[in-house]
Amino acid sequence: MSIKKVLLSSVLILSPLAVAAEDLTIGFSQIGSESGWRAAETTVTKQQAEDRGITLKFADAQQKQENQISALRSFIAQGVDAILIAPVVATGWDGVLEEAKDADIPVILLDRTVDASDDLYLTAVTSDLVHEGEVAGQWLVDETAGAQCRIVELQGTTGSSPAIDRKTGFGNAIAGHDNLEIVRSQTGDFTRSQGKVVMESFLKAEGGENICALYAHNDDMAVGAIQAIKEAGLKPGEDIKIVAIDAVPDAHLAIAAGEMNATIELTPNMAGPALDALEAYLENGTVPAKWIQTESRLYTAADDNQAIYEEKKGLGY
Ligand code: AHR
């Protein structure tokens, strides 16, 4: 029986709604596979659904918002019980979210936020994206301890909430520290390949010896940039300090090798809390919160990064 039919019968007989997870069919609109973190989130989401006996319809948007909107419309037409979406950019969702609402299909946002009224979705499971940038900026403030430092920044996908918020957070943290200056800032689209290409252009434009630090909005771009720094004859992690976000296994490996300095963890398990919230909603009509916040932990060379790498390998990455 579909959830809508169960809902209807529960209303009619005025009894509490109990919905078995194995009766659920959920659509998941994923952005693509731009980063190691994204691939892990996909793996973990599929695993979470399978463990609960949920049927998951998966759609890869290949980084395009129009593909995500089409996927949502297709899920709505198929009458799924709920939709998970990792929205590639922050704006332009109102219309399709209204359509889902009109069809009584709850939508849960994963890992990124949208600029839309929060009554258009059930809940959002994300980190505090501004805070992540602040942690990265504060790490650099402490690390440089007042020494002059020219920073280059690799931004995430233009218009995405992590790119906007991580930039804002980093700016908040370094504001008032006159020794710190962002001299170049450009998107690397959250990919390793673009991280390398854009870092090469930064090194060429500034001269490697004039760059003191790199702030990358994700680890994949930092790993690409490390390659560019090495090819320029410099030592990443020493000549150019590197702080990024995600804490994927390769970042721990780079920190263990002294080629990167810090990363802030973003769990790829957004689906666990999201499906818990959905099940609670279907059971008793409530959600724990409009925003379910995941933790943001800083890792540095002070941690046993080799051991963490071994531990994390195989956790969906
Ligand atoms: O929205 C989360 C970000 O998207 C991750 O930090 C990044 O790796 C991914 O592509």
Side-chain angles (χ1 to χ4, degrees), residues 31 33-38 41 63 86-87 110-112 127 129 132 157 160-162 166 189-191 217-220 245-246 248 266 270:
I31 292 169
S33 51
E34 73 281 3
S35 64
W37 184 91
R38 181 69 52 202
E41 186 193 49
Q63 318 299 130
L110 297 189
D111 73 85
R112 296 187 184 184
S127 58
L129 297 158
E132 288 170 342
T157 301
S160 69
S161 62
R166 288 171 182 171
D189 214 9
F190 281 131
T191 67
H217 290 190
N218 81 346
D219 286 339
D220 275 69
I245 296 167
D246 279 352
V248 297
L266 178 68
M270 301 279 157

Side-chain angles (χ1 to χ4, degrees), residues 43-95:
T43 304
V44 172
T45 304
K46 288 179 175 172
Q47 193 60 55
Q48 281 284 343
E50 193 183 321
D51 291 349
R52 295 164 196 250
I54 292 171
T55 303
L56 192 75
K57 290 176 181 283
F58 179 75
D60 178 336
Q62 314 263 329
Q63 318 299 130
K64 292 194 173 71
Q65 183 178 33
E66 63 261 35
N67 291 346
Q68 291 204 284
I69 291 174
S70 298
L72 259 60
R73 292 204 167 118
S74 163
F75 293 148
I76 294 167
Q78 292 170 64
V80 296
D81 298 305
I83 293 172
L84 305 178
I85 178 171
V88 60
V89 290
T91 57
W93 298 104
D94 302 67

